Amino acid sequence: MPSRPRTILVTGAATGIGAACCRALAGPGTAILVHTRRNAEGAERTAGAVREAGGLAEVALGDIGEAGTPAALVAQAVARFGWLDVVVANAGFADRTPVADLTDAGFAKSMDTVLWAFLRLARAALPVLAAGEAPRLVAISSFVAHVFRTDATLFPATAAAKAGVEALVRSLAVEAAKSGTTVNAVAPGFTQKDAGGHSALSPAQWDAVRARIPLGRLGTPEDVARAVAYLASPGAGYVTGQVLHVNGGLV
């Protein structure tokens, strides 16, 4: 293994898209800080997969919605591995509460966990990334910030938070360009959950969703992770300020 591994922080990486991103990015010469809010068992499985692929891995716990957690994660990555080259901001949750029932506290939770968390993570990470090799910041957005239909389940608070993330990505891309750091987002469509994982939709709703997707299937975490791996790669050095949709053609 090279003396200087490519160091990566992935938030919300115990299961699903975050875990798939860790697996896609893992390999000899990589070191990944696997974050989870409290699913230590799942994060350890992800870390084990990283190690099996030849990389280094460590688990970090913390609520990304708490103000101090994003900076603490960046600090932990640097303390453990010495530097930081890539950050994948994946942690979050989906809230489909209708606007009429959405409380101030409920809306604030989405803002704290998605938009504020990304801002705080970027603010802490960008100065560190600037000293890295081929520095990359990738945020996970969502189709819910783009698809608004009468036959679709809406996620108002999540949509607002993710739309804010995408706007912030574009602003950060301009600010970070001088250091060679690229900032992009991936917007997944409807994506399969891990077996036994929480789902925001019922089985009947999932069937209806499949009928609306031109490619005729749900996405997989691996579909999304491959897009993230590209944007996080040294080869994506001329791609910044973009939102890459991985949604099977969903409109």
Side-chain angles (χ1 to χ4, degrees):
M1 177 178 291
S3 59
R4 189 203 188 288
R6 187 158 171 79
T7 298
I8 302 161
L9 164 62
V10 183
T11 67
T15 62
I17 289 172
C21 287
C22 290
R23 295 191 296 268
L25 293 166
T30 62
I32 302 180
L33 186 64
V34 180
H35 162 263
T36 181
R37 180 165 66 99
R38 61 186 180 188
N39 185 0
E41 183 178 352
E44 287 293 351
R45 283 195 298 270
T46 301
V50 171
R51 296 180 190 115
E52 287 177 8
L56 303 173
E58 183 168 302
V59 169
L61 302 178
D63 186 343
I64 201 72
E66 294 183 355
T69 299
L73 293 174
V74 171
Q76 183 172 341
V78 174
R80 174 62 179 85
F81 301 117
W83 45 78
L84 187 60
D85 301 293
V86 177
V87 174
V88 180
N90 170 69
F93 73 104
D95 183 354
R96 58 176 178 152
T97 305
V99 172
D101 300 323
L102 187 61
T103 64
D104 288 1
F107 189 76
K109 182 178 179 182
S110 287
M111 293 297 113
D112 287 343
T113 306
V114 177
L115 181 54
W116 273 105
F118 177 59
L119 171 62
R120 290 164 177 149
L121 186 61
R123 200 161 51 195
L126 284 173
V128 182
L129 290 172
E133 296 180 2
R136 305 283 182 260
L137 174 58
V138 184
I140 303 300
S141 183
S142 174
F143 76 98
V144 303
H146 300 271
V147 178
F148 301 92
R149 298 165 47 126
T150 57
D151 62 346
T153 300
L154 301 179
F155 297 77
T158 307
K162 293 294 191 180
V165 166
E166 292 184 9
L168 192 54
V169 160
R170 294 184 176 95
S171 295
L172 290 170
V174 175
E175 291 190 17
K178 60 182 178 292
S179 71
T181 303
T182 67
V183 186
N184 293 286
V186 174
F190 286 101
T191 305
Q192 291 175 222
K193 303 295 182 181
D194 290 348
H198 169 73
S199 176
L201 301 181
S202 69
Q205 287 172 319
W206 280 118
D207 289 339
V209 162
R210 287 186 189 88
R212 285 180 38 219
I213 299 172
L215 286 181
R217 67 171 178 87
L218 301 178
T220 67
E222 288 71 26
D223 289 325
V224 181
R226 282 188 284 269
V228 171
Y230 165 66
L231 292 173
S233 72
Y238 202 57
V239 180
T240 196
Q242 303 303 305
V243 179
L244 177 57
H245 294 263
V246 181
N247 61 16
L250 181 71
V251 293

